[in-house]
Amino acid sequence: MAGRVQYQKIVKYLAAVTCTAPLHIGSSAGDKGDVLVHPVENVPFLQATGIAGVFREYYERQYGSKDAEELFGAMCQNENGGEQESRVKFSDGIFAESVLEYRPRVRINRDTGTCDASGIRGTDKKAGHKFSMEYVGEGAKVNFAVYLYDESKAERLECVFAALHKGALQIGGQKSNGCGCFSVDGLHKITFDLTTQKGRSRWSEEDSL
């Protein structure tokens, strides 16, 4: 990664955040009510792509699609015939402290807007479709890193972090139920100046982690 850097300075943000509401990050495997679990750490985690998507959506609402494409990249080809590369990278967020909890839910029939139900075989009775959904509990703590390759966008990116702290951004599913809100407990900022030997050495060490 260090060999492909085209900017003179790279800014790293290490965010320490806490769930201020239950969080549901769905798994594609098993029951759809399960929480996503990291394949190596075997604990709940926030995918980097999920965090980036939420940040990009808010950034685009605030600063427009053109600025969002400049920072987060674009699928359309640039003048040289290639994709416009992202100038910001996100890490996964691994939960250091988390408590999983189950909450009862019922399936809603989209056509009628009522609780879904089906007949019980061998009787004339019907039963509702009740199920449990798994959540990361309120108070769970998670850290993630953001690498910004365009220092001119630092102030705007920090405004997105501020919006996350204020509850203007929600991550995961069940947002209409108030889930996925966070407070930012700490935001540590490190700048790697690649025009100096010291800065390049620090970035080389960072890149090797």
Side-chain angles (χ1 to χ4, degrees):
M1 183 166 62
R4 295 187 284 111
V5 172
Q6 300 177 358
Y7 302 99
Q8 293 184 338
K9 292 183 179 180
I10 300 172
V11 182
K12 175 186 178 181
Y13 295 95
L14 182 59
V17 303
T18 299
C19 294
T20 57
L23 170 71
H24 179 72
I25 35 177
S27 169
S28 60
D31 191 301
K32 67 180 182 180
D34 291 344
V35 160
L36 187 65
V37 173
H38 194 276
V40 176
E41 303 295 338
N42 200 33
V43 294
F45 79 111
L46 297 174
Q47 288 182 302
T49 52
I51 303 172
V54 171
F55 270 57
R56 177 174 185 147
E57 181 181 2
Y58 182 85
Y59 190 97
E60 186 170 339
R61 292 203 308 267
Q62 298 299 311
Y63 305 113
S65 58
K66 183 178 179 180
D67 274 17
E69 287 183 355
E70 287 181 359
L71 181 58
F72 291 89
M75 296 304 295
C76 59
Q77 291 188 337
N78 58 27
E79 296 176 355
N80 298 322
E83 294 181 358
Q84 184 169 316
E85 186 176 357
S86 172
R87 301 180 187 181
V88 61
K89 307 291 185 184
F90 294 77
S91 76
D92 290 333
I94 309 297
F95 281 92
E97 301 176 20
S98 64
V99 177
L100 295 179
E101 57 186 47
Y102 287 90
R103 296 191 173 198
R105 301 291 306 278
V106 292
R107 290 186 173 86
I108 302 298
N109 187 309
R110 294 184 178 180
D111 295 329
T112 64
T114 60
C115 293
D116 206 357
S118 59
I120 300 175
R121 183 178 298 178
T123 73
D124 58 357
K125 297 180 179 179
K126 290 188 175 182
H129 290 203
K130 183 178 179 181
F131 66 100
S132 294
M133 183 168 283
E134 192 174 31
Y135 295 83
V136 176
E138 181 179 345
K141 297 182 181 297
V142 62
N143 296 339
F144 63 90
V146 181
Y147 293 89
L148 178 63
Y149 294 82
D150 186 351
E151 191 184 25
S152 68
K153 304 292 186 183
E155 184 176 346
R156 290 187 173 185
L157 185 62
E158 289 164 17
C159 287
V160 183
F161 277 108
L164 178 67
H165 180 67
K166 294 176 181 177
L169 280 71
Q170 292 172 271
I171 299 176
Q174 302 296 309
K175 295 184 177 108
S176 61
N177 295 325
C179 295
C181 295
F182 293 84
S183 64
V184 179
D185 304 323
L187 187 62
H188 186 53
K189 180 179 180 180
I190 305 172
T191 300
F192 300 89
D193 187 348
L194 302 184
T195 64
T196 67
Q197 181 60 45
K198 181 179 179 180
R200 290 191 294 271
S201 297
R202 291 176 66 205
W203 175 245
S204 178
E205 294 172 0
E206 180 76 18
D207 190 40
S208 67
L209 295 178

